[in-house]
Amino acid sequence: MITAAIAVPLNLVFGLTASWCITKFEFRGKALLTTLIDLPFLVSPVISGLIYVLMFGAQGWFGPCLQDHNVQIIFAVPGIVLATIFVTFPFVARGLIPLMQAQGNDEEEAAHVLGAFGWQIFRRVTLPNVKWGLLYGVILCNARAIGEFGALSVVSGHIRGQTDTMPLHVEILYNEYNFSAAFAVASVLALLALVTLALKLLAERHMSAELSAARDVPAHAGPAVTASASTNASSSASSGAAKSFNTTQQRAVKHPLKQGEL
């Protein structure tokens, strides 16, 4: 729980900032940032934990420097937090990016024209519009942080009372043939999973409604504009035909001889 309490707020800040930059601005490295957000989905959690060991372990790239400064990352809480942050940071951004893209920039531009500044626009316009998408991403991020096993099993060292999370504690109890305690901890995880599922369904329903509302605005405006254009075109064609008929009649009256000859 301590790991989730540290990792989830950090991922919330990163995901909100990254999704805001990706959807509202154009800059160099935008495609690279989007690719980096998807990176944890492409890498096995065990491999990511091994990478941390190779970087910050006693024999790793930064291991001697960390030992000189008496800093321990692997087999300690900082290693668990770093591994958790890596495997969970895509969820908030991936929950917000589609919603922000569907909503567009019209409201932010209108607020800017009315004299609002960047922080005011973000706090009073952007943030209220994405609150349900933000909650949806936080719920998924928290669920993954609580239930992560692969990466943490590599970097934690399974030190009881210091570096064991709930899934790791279930494994320790099971290996010690303490099945009752292992079942009790697993039951708590299952209860947290049910609560998370209920909150996820609630946030998903509200986010789907916001997406539908954002996508239906241009869809409703389109037929109205088309119908108006068709009406204007029909009226223009009718008036043009009437003018042409009147001109023909006037020419026939002015030249009766030619009409008789025909």
Side-chain angles (χ1 to χ4, degrees):
M1 299 297 290
I2 297 176
T3 304
I6 298 174
V8 172
L10 293 177
N11 282 326
L12 187 150
V13 174
F14 169 79
L16 187 59
T17 304
S19 58
W20 186 54
C21 293
I22 289 173
T23 56
K24 305 300 181 181
F25 303 98
E26 294 294 335
F27 55 91
R28 290 184 179 181
K30 182 177 179 179
L32 178 61
L33 178 59
T34 306
T35 303
L36 291 177
I37 290 175
D38 293 332
L39 184 61
F41 292 142
L42 307 175
V43 179
S44 170
V46 177
I47 300 301
S48 64
L50 180 60
I51 292 174
Y52 277 111
V53 172
L54 295 176
M55 291 179 62
F56 303 111
Q59 306 298 326
W61 294 345
F62 305 104
C65 180
L66 294 174
Q67 287 181 349
D68 293 340
H69 293 82
N70 196 23
V71 176
Q72 185 177 1
I73 293 180
I74 302 301
F75 306 147
V77 174
I80 296 177
V81 173
L82 289 175
T84 305
I85 289 174
F86 176 79
V87 298
T88 58
F89 79 79
F91 291 100
V92 176
R94 277 302 166 195
L96 290 176
I97 288 175
L99 182 59
M100 287 186 173
Q101 287 177 339
Q103 290 176 347
N105 301 330
D106 294 340
E107 295 186 9
E108 285 82 357
E109 293 176 354
H112 181 69
V113 171
L114 293 175
F117 299 101
W119 173 245
Q120 292 177 330
I121 294 173
F122 178 78
R123 183 169 58 90
R124 297 185 179 181
V125 179
T126 304
L127 195 58
N129 287 338
V130 299
K131 58 182 182 297
W132 288 108
L134 183 62
L135 178 61
Y136 178 79
V138 169
I139 291 171
L140 294 181
C141 180
N142 183 69
R144 181 63 186 275
I146 293 176
E148 176 57 31
F149 180 82
L152 303 188
S153 65
V154 178
V155 301
S156 67
H158 296 80
I159 304 173
R160 175 171 290 182
Q162 297 183 17
T163 62
D164 58 337
T165 60
M166 293 182 71
L168 296 178
H169 194 58
V170 171
E171 183 194 24
I172 292 173
L173 293 173
Y174 182 81
N175 291 334
E176 293 177 349
Y177 301 101
N178 192 353
F179 300 121
S180 299
F183 180 77
V185 178
S187 299
V188 174
L189 283 173
L191 180 62
L192 290 175
L194 292 176
V195 174
T196 300
L197 181 61
L199 294 175
K200 173 182 174 293
L201 292 176
L202 177 64
E204 193 173 22
R205 181 179 301 176
H206 286 278
M207 190 176 69
S208 299
E210 290 181 352
L211 278 172
S212 300
R215 290 171 179 171
D216 286 344
V217 171
H220 291 316
V225 174
T226 305
S228 177
S230 300
T231 304
N232 293 335
S234 299
S235 61
S236 299
S238 299
S239 61
K243 290 180 181 179
S244 177
F245 180 74
N246 293 334
T247 303
T248 304
Q249 286 185 336
Q250 291 176 0
R251 289 177 180 176
V253 172
K254 289 181 180 180
H255 303 284
L257 296 178
K258 291 184 179 180
Q259 186 178 8
E261 291 175 357
L262 292 174

